[in-house]
Amino acid sequence: MLKLVLNNTINSVASKNTSSISNGLLKEFSKLSIYKNNNNKKINNCKCTNCVCNCKCTKKTNTTTNTNIYNNMNNNNKRYYSTKQNIENEKQIEEDSKIGLATSDTNRGKLLEDYYDGSKSRQDYFKKFRDETTPNKQDPADNFRVRVSVPRPEFDEHYEKQLLPDDFADSYLNSIRPNSNREQEELPFSDNTRFSPFRPVRPKIQKTSVIDGASSGYSKRKRSRAVVSIQPGNGSILINGRTLLDYFPSISYRDNVVQPLVITETLTKWDVSIRAFGGGLKGQSEAARRALGFSLVNYDLGYRPALKIAGLLKNDIRKVERKKPGLLKARKRFPLVKR
Amino acid sequence: MSFIRGVCKLSKNIRYTGSINSILNKGVIGSTINTKTTTITTTTTNTTNNTLAYRNYCSSTTTTTTTNTTQNEIKEVPYQFLTLTNEQWELALGKEVNKNTKDFFDLTKSRTTLLRKPTFETIQWLSKMKEQRFYKESPQDYCRVLDGVAGSGKSISLAQVAFWAQQQDWLVVYIPNASSFINRGALTHFNINPLLFAQNNLCFNFIKQFVEVNHAKLREIKLKTKFKIESTGWESSPNKTLFDLLSSTKYDSSSEIFYHFKRELNTIHEFPVLVAIDGFNHFYRPSDYGDMYDSASNLGTLPTDRLMASSLFKNITSHQISNGVVLAATTNVIPKREMFEVIPEESVLNVPIFTIYEFKLFINYLVETKYLEKSPNQETIEYYWQISSGNPRELWKILRILH
């Protein structure tokens, strides 16, 4: 209750602005430590010269009096700063003041931020500061712009520049992910200057091929193959070393083989040698027929119109149609069962 | 009596012994047809090989040329045609004929055949042997074998030569099918030679037919060996003839009589003897039969050496016919490899297929004899020749089908 009363009285006294009373009261209350602490706070706010002097005096007295109850507050503040980090910071501040650095709050904040971030060490910070504050030293030759002699290749940095890992990385990246613009260069349609109009299909030039007085032709039908070679002779026809009658028992098969000779009216002009293999007799006879036509054309182009009109040079691509699932044959369905 | 119609007229009493050239000059065997130079009309197109896509076509021209080969061929081989009817064939060679020939006689009344180079070569050889009185100077003088591809005319050539020999008063023993000597009839034991099986059925039919054809000549041949037929008790004597022996044949004694007939055949000197065998390679057929005494087994597997009839005529390279020769023709039904191991190559005559010239001659003759109503085109003739590969049998088939 006394504390509350004293505070109220102090305030009321101050408001009267009497010089004799305030000075006397201040001296009386100065004996108490409680008043000193409170006064310090208030006086600091005043701009009077007396208040300023009093502040200085109070600082000294604070260091001497340790028995007061209110010292605990100061102790609490010290305790807040009494950690190792705070102690080290204070030491660093002292060192900085010795060096000559300004001890402003801004610098202190920066130091703390850098320290807490862990991005830089304290020494790195000092090095950076020194580099920034110290002026650059230049060679005297550069100041006067004197032309320097051409260096030798081993001392020329640009002449024998060694490839660094980054250079290999760039080439590797270019190979992995090429420039997207290159596609436009490579595609012919993107460049109008490179476009060429379509050319019409030209007919194939027919040529004869006679080797050692003989020409040959090849053809196939179904699964049969036939190779025929002809040369001028007495009119003999051999198929796989046998006569036409021995090889083909049916007269229709023999007629197939002879048909190109009938159309060209050269039945007894050529010695024909036929090698047929694969498939059956019908396929072999038809393959031999077309191959014989080709051999005649290869010997003399004059036979081509007649053979072309007769259709003996045309390829017959018909084959046995495959059986389909659900059908008896290629197209025949299973017989209907009503019951 | 005329045996050949349209081609040859032969008197029964005429007998000729001479070379083939003199035969042709006197016209004993028909008249020569197409002995002059034959003009061949060919169409030639003057064309040249050109590598360009477009070329000029020259006009085609027709020219008439005669090739040297044709002239030489005409001089060397005087082609002739022989037309036989079924009756003439039976009178000359017997009723039993080859299967193919029988088929032709069934279809047509007469059969026209072309006398080709193998026939003339064989006739020359026979005439030569007759001139030297069948004295065998070399292994080639014993026999001749006609060989060729199927349908080339081996049997026809053999029949032509046999017919020629028949006309020349040779004693012809014509065997039209050698397979019958092996596969026909039942077998019984043969007492004269226990290793052989008797073939009564075959021998009886053969002797009966042989007597019908050659009864006149057989009456003039006297027996020269002494033997006795055990089953009938018939004995030989110098006064008896071969006709007496063969006419007394009975079924049970036919094999024994056939055996003695072969022995008498070796001693005949009144007539030249010709043994003509068709399908001779049947005698060299391989056999897989082991027991020769079991007659109940399959007859086809018996070796020919154990059968009496085939064993008598199998050996032709050193036969014992004193006044005759053997002429054989092969068949393509069975392999010939075993036969050629025994027969020397010099004794083999090749029967080739028809050349285009021979086929043209044949067609011209058929047109002249009105077998064909009109002459086919030259391209058609070449087409038929190519389709049949020059095979005479196939050519006959095509002519009968297409005309």
Side-chain angles (χ1 to χ4, degrees):
Chain A
M1 296 298 291
L2 291 174
K3 293 180 180 179
L4 294 173
V5 170
L6 289 172
N7 289 327
N8 291 328
T9 55
I10 292 166
N11 291 327
S12 64
V13 172
S15 62
K16 288 181 180 180
N17 295 323
T18 57
S19 59
S20 61
I21 296 170
S22 62
N23 292 328
L25 291 172
L26 289 173
K27 288 179 180 178
E28 289 177 359
F29 284 106
S30 63
K31 293 179 181 179
L32 299 174
S33 63
I34 298 170
Y35 176 78
K36 288 181 180 179
N37 293 325
N38 293 327
N39 288 330
N40 289 328
K41 291 182 179 179
K42 291 182 179 180
I43 290 167
N44 289 327
N45 295 326
C46 294
K47 296 181 180 179
C48 296
T49 56
N50 295 325
C51 296
V52 171
C53 294
N54 292 328
C55 291
K56 292 180 180 180
C57 293
T58 55
K59 287 181 179 180
K60 292 179 180 179
T61 56
N62 287 329
T63 57
T64 56
T65 57
N66 294 322
T67 59
N68 290 327
I69 299 171
Y70 298 101
N71 289 329
N72 292 329
M73 296 179 68
N74 293 327
N75 291 328
N76 290 328
N77 292 327
K78 288 183 180 180
R79 289 178 181 175
Y80 180 77
Y81 292 103
S82 66
T83 58
K84 292 181 180 180
Q85 292 180 357
N86 292 329
I87 292 166
E88 290 176 357
N89 289 332
E90 289 177 356
K91 290 180 180 179
Q92 290 173 0
I93 291 167
E94 291 176 357
E95 290 176 358
D96 292 340
S97 62
K98 291 178 182 179
I99 292 168
L101 295 174
T103 57
S104 62
D105 293 337
T106 57
N107 290 332
R108 186 176 180 181
K110 287 183 179 180
L111 290 172
L112 290 173
E113 291 176 358
D114 294 337
Y115 182 78
Y116 292 133
D117 290 339
S119 64
K120 293 181 179 178
S121 64
R122 191 174 183 81
Q123 293 178 359
D124 293 338
Y125 184 80
F126 280 113
K127 287 181 181 179
K128 184 177 180 181
F129 183 78
R130 289 172 187 172
D131 294 336
E132 290 177 355
T133 53
T134 54
N136 292 327
K137 295 180 179 179
Q138 296 181 354
D139 295 334
D142 293 338
N143 291 328
F144 294 98
R145 295 186 178 181
V146 176
R147 181 180 292 275
V148 183
S149 63
V150 177
R152 288 186 290 178
E154 58 268 20
F155 297 110
D156 190 357
E157 184 179 357
H158 297 283
Y159 183 80
E160 287 191 352
K161 182 181 179 181
Q162 295 183 355
L163 292 176
L164 299 176
D166 294 339
D167 297 328
F168 290 108
D170 291 336
S171 63
Y172 179 69
L173 287 173
N174 289 329
S175 64
I176 292 175
R177 296 184 297 173
N179 193 354
S180 60
N181 292 326
R182 292 181 182 177
E183 294 179 0
Q184 296 178 2
E185 293 177 358
E186 291 176 355
L187 291 175
F189 303 106
S190 63
D191 191 353
N192 292 328
T193 59
R194 296 183 181 179
F195 177 76
S196 62
F198 293 106
R199 297 180 180 179
V201 177
R202 296 181 179 179
K204 184 179 179 182
I205 297 173
Q206 300 293 333
K207 295 182 179 179
T208 57
S209 60
V210 181
I211 301 171
D212 294 334
S215 65
S216 63
Y218 169 78
S219 180
K220 56 184 179 179
R221 171 83 170 97
K222 296 181 184 178
R223 294 187 180 183
S224 302
R225 310 282 185 268
V227 179
V228 175
S229 65
I230 63 169
Q231 58 184 355
N234 297 323
S236 67
I237 298 176
L238 295 177
I239 299 178
N240 293 337
R242 295 156 60 187
T243 60
L244 194 65
L245 180 64
D246 294 337
Y247 197 82
F248 292 116
S250 176
I251 193 171
S252 62
Y253 298 157
R254 286 180 262 155
D255 182 66
N256 280 335
V257 176
V258 174
Q259 197 170 355
L261 302 176
V262 171
I263 290 171
T264 55
E265 296 181 357
T266 55
L267 279 161
T268 56
K269 184 178 178 181
W270 312 102
D271 283 343
V272 181
S273 175
I274 300 171
R275 183 168 186 269
F277 48 95
L281 290 180
K282 184 177 175 66
Q284 288 183 3
S285 66
E286 293 181 0
R289 175 179 66 180
R290 186 164 177 259
L292 182 55
F294 279 131
S295 62
L296 289 170
V297 170
N298 287 332
Y299 195 92
D300 190 354
L301 290 174
Y303 299 123
R304 183 176 174 84
L307 294 170
K308 190 76 174 178
I309 291 168
L312 295 179
L313 302 179
K314 187 176 182 180
N315 186 18
D316 191 353
I317 61 172
R318 294 178 297 166
K319 291 184 178 180
V320 178
E321 193 175 356
R322 64 152 286 181
K323 177 188 178 299
K324 279 89 175 179
L327 298 175
L328 192 63
K329 297 194 291 187
R331 301 190 181 189
K332 184 179 181 181
R333 296 187 177 275
F334 288 100
L336 176 64
V337 178
K338 293 185 177 181
R339 296 177 180 83
Chain B
M1 182 178 182
S2 62
F3 289 92
I4 301 173
R5 183 185 66 185
V7 175
C8 177
K9 294 182 179 180
L10 180 66
S11 176
K12 181 178 179 181
N13 297 323
I14 293 175
R15 298 180 183 179
Y16 183 79
T17 56
S19 65
I20 189 169
N21 293 326
S22 60
I23 291 170
L24 294 174
N25 292 330
K26 293 186 179 180
V28 176
I29 301 178
S31 61
T32 304
I33 298 173
N34 292 328
T35 54
K36 297 180 180 178
T37 303
T38 302
T39 302
I40 301 172
T41 302
T42 58
T43 302
T44 58
T45 303
N46 296 324
T47 57
T48 56
N49 294 331
N50 196 350
T51 57
L52 297 177
Y54 301 98
R55 59 191 293 276
N56 296 322
Y57 295 94
C58 298
S59 61
S60 63
T61 58
T62 302
T63 58
T64 302
T65 59
T66 303
T67 58
N68 294 327
T69 306
T70 305
Q71 289 176 350
N72 294 332
E73 195 171 5
I74 290 171
K75 292 178 181 178
E76 289 177 359
V77 182
Y79 293 98
Q80 295 187 17
F81 295 94
L82 178 66
T83 303
L84 292 173
T85 60
N86 195 3
E87 291 79 12
Q88 293 172 357
W89 184 281
E90 289 179 0
L91 288 173
L93 300 175
K95 293 182 179 179
E96 190 173 352
V97 295
N98 197 0
K99 183 180 179 181
N100 293 323
T101 308
K102 186 177 181 181
D103 293 338
F104 280 111
F105 281 132
D106 293 338
L107 293 171
T108 60
K109 293 182 179 179
S110 63
R111 174 73 189 275
T112 302
T113 58
L114 176 65
L115 302 178
R116 300 168 61 198
K117 187 175 180 180
T119 305
F120 288 110
E121 288 181 356
T122 308
I123 291 172
Q124 282 180 352
W125 174 67
L126 293 176
S127 301
K128 175 188 173 185
M129 293 303 297
K130 189 174 181 182
E131 287 177 355
Q132 64 184 18
R133 297 182 183 278
F134 299 100
Y135 179 73
K136 280 79 175 178
E137 297 178 350
S138 63
Q140 303 172 21
D141 295 337
Y142 282 88
C143 65
R144 281 284 191 273
V145 178
L146 300 173
D147 185 36
V149 299
S152 61
K154 302 183 291 296
S155 299
I156 297 300
S157 298
L158 183 72
Q160 290 170 353
V161 174
F163 187 80
W164 174 85
Q166 184 73 19
Q167 296 299 313
Q168 297 299 311
D169 286 337
W170 288 48
L171 183 65
V172 178
V173 182
Y174 181 66
I175 301 171
N177 192 1
S179 64
S180 63
F181 271 57
I182 302 169
N183 300 325
R184 180 181 291 181
L187 302 178
T188 56
H189 290 286
F190 192 54
N191 296 323
I192 296 174
N193 190 349
L195 296 177
L196 301 177
F197 288 97
Q199 297 171 275
N200 291 329
N201 191 5
L202 170 68
C203 297
F204 182 76
N205 292 329
F206 182 84
I207 291 170
K208 185 179 178 182
Q209 183 175 338
F210 188 77
V211 169
E212 290 178 356
V213 173
N214 301 292
H215 60 89
K217 297 174 185 174
L218 293 176
R219 293 178 187 276
E220 299 178 11
I221 301 170
K222 293 186 178 181
L223 299 178
K224 293 141 181 99
T225 59
K226 187 177 181 180
F227 57 88
K228 181 181 179 182
I229 307 297
E230 295 180 359
S231 59
T232 58
W234 193 88
E235 293 183 358
S236 65
S237 64
N239 296 325
K240 294 181 180 178
T241 62
L242 195 59
F243 178 81
D244 298 332
L245 171 65
L246 298 179
S247 60
S248 65
T249 302
K250 295 182 179 179
Y251 184 85
D252 294 335
S253 62
S254 59
S255 298
E256 194 171 358
I257 291 172
F258 188 85
Y259 178 78
H260 293 291
F261 164 71
K262 179 63 171 61
R263 293 180 64 205
E264 287 290 335
L265 198 66
N266 297 338
T267 62
I268 291 172
H269 64 272
E270 290 85 353
F271 298 99
V273 178
L274 174 65
V275 178
I277 305 170
D278 194 359
F280 180 72
N281 50 336
H282 277 286
F283 289 153
Y284 291 91
R285 170 183 57 82
S287 174
D288 56 355
Y289 181 71
D291 189 358
M292 65 182 75
Y293 294 103
D294 188 3
S295 61
S297 64
N298 188 5
L299 301 179
T301 59
L302 280 174
T304 55
D305 293 336
R306 299 294 173 259
L307 300 172
M308 189 198 71
S310 59
S311 65
L312 292 175
F313 289 99
K314 181 177 180 180
N315 185 10
I316 64 173
T317 56
S318 60
H319 60 81
Q320 298 176 359
I321 301 173
S322 60
N323 197 33
V325 292
V326 177
L327 181 64
T330 61
T331 180
N332 293 90
V333 177
I334 59 174
K336 310 172 186 176
R337 183 174 59 257
E338 292 81 6
M339 184 193 76
F340 284 123
E341 291 176 358
V342 178
I343 304 297
E345 293 182 0
E346 295 80 8
S347 301
V348 178
L349 287 174
N350 185 28
V351 181
I353 57 175
F354 267 6
T355 60
I356 187 68
Y357 177 73
E358 291 174 348
F359 185 54
K360 288 177 182 177
L361 288 179
F362 191 72
I363 293 292
N364 289 332
Y365 176 76
L366 293 179
V367 172
E368 289 177 3
T369 56
K370 297 183 180 180
Y371 181 82
L372 299 176
E373 294 180 358
K374 61 179 181 179
S375 177
N377 195 6
Q378 184 179 356
E379 286 79 15
T380 306
I381 293 172
E382 293 177 354
Y383 175 75
Y384 292 161
W385 184 74
Q386 283 286 5
I387 286 292
S388 60
S389 298
N391 195 299
R393 182 193 297 167
E394 197 72 19
L395 281 170
W396 263 114
K397 289 182 181 179
I398 290 172
L399 288 175
R400 286 192 283 106
I401 292 169
L402 299 178
H403 279 271

